[in-house]
Amino acid sequence: MKTIPLLFCCSVLVMAAGCKSTLSESMPASDYQATVPEKLSEQLVTLNNEPHQSFRGKTLKFHYDESKGLLTLVNRLRGSRWQWEINKSDADAQTKAFACNTYINAVRAGLGVRQWFTGAGGLVTETYSYEDCQ
């Protein structure tokens, strides 16, 4: 009888430790600082509540930091056996195209856009702003 509660407690501790490491993972540092108009900022904050988008091998989540005016596209590997097959120059070009095409009005208003590829061989792209789109 005492083994079941002990096993249960151990499994809860292991699960909590795993959750803690995931939750404590913080965004990569960025020097980018901009002021996005309040109404637009309120719209961008809603991206933080959007569910993860699933793709083959990865998930994508948006993270908008309203204090910096920075949108980060967080790409996570779906499994530990997956590897990123992207180099920084390709990732930078992809991010610039995304920022300058998809979010051009927000970027024009001050938004910075970058991508973070977490996991094995991960990287963070440059942050792109309106000056980069011209």
Side-chain angles (χ1 to χ4, degrees):
M1 284 252 223
K2 291 185 180 182
T3 24
I4 292 175
L6 181 61
L7 287 173
F8 176 75
C9 289
C10 290
S11 63
V12 168
L13 287 173
V14 168
M15 286 174 39
C19 292
K20 183 179 178 190
S21 66
T22 302
L23 294 175
S24 66
E25 186 177 36
S26 61
M27 289 286 145
S30 173
D31 293 335
Y32 188 81
Q33 188 64 55
T35 303
V36 176
E38 187 176 338
K39 189 172 184 173
L40 179 58
S41 188
E42 289 172 3
Q43 292 172 346
L44 290 167
V45 162
T46 64
L47 291 173
N48 295 343
N49 298 324
E50 292 292 317
H52 287 81
Q53 297 176 20
S54 292
F55 299 94
R56 185 176 185 270
K58 75 170 186 173
T59 60
L60 172 67
K61 176 88 175 138
F62 293 95
H63 176 78
Y64 174 64
D65 182 345
E66 58 189 315
S67 68
K68 289 184 169 276
L70 178 63
L71 177 64
T72 303
L73 286 68
V74 182
N75 298 277
R76 291 186 199 258
L77 292 170
R78 295 186 104 189
S80 60
R81 290 197 253 176
W82 290 87
Q83 293 281 333
W84 290 116
E85 294 183 11
I86 190 166
N87 62 45
K88 186 158 174 31
S89 61
D90 290 343
D92 281 335
Q94 177 188 37
T95 305
K96 181 178 178 182
F98 179 81
C100 297
N101 296 324
T102 308
Y103 278 91
I104 188 61
N105 292 330
V107 169
R108 187 178 290 125
L111 179 69
V113 179
R114 68 179 179 167
Q115 287 196 78
W116 179 26
F117 295 88
T118 69
L123 60 94
V124 178
T125 67
E126 299 296 321
T127 300
Y128 292 95
S129 62
Y130 187 61
E131 293 79 34
D132 300 310
C133 295
Q134 297 186 28

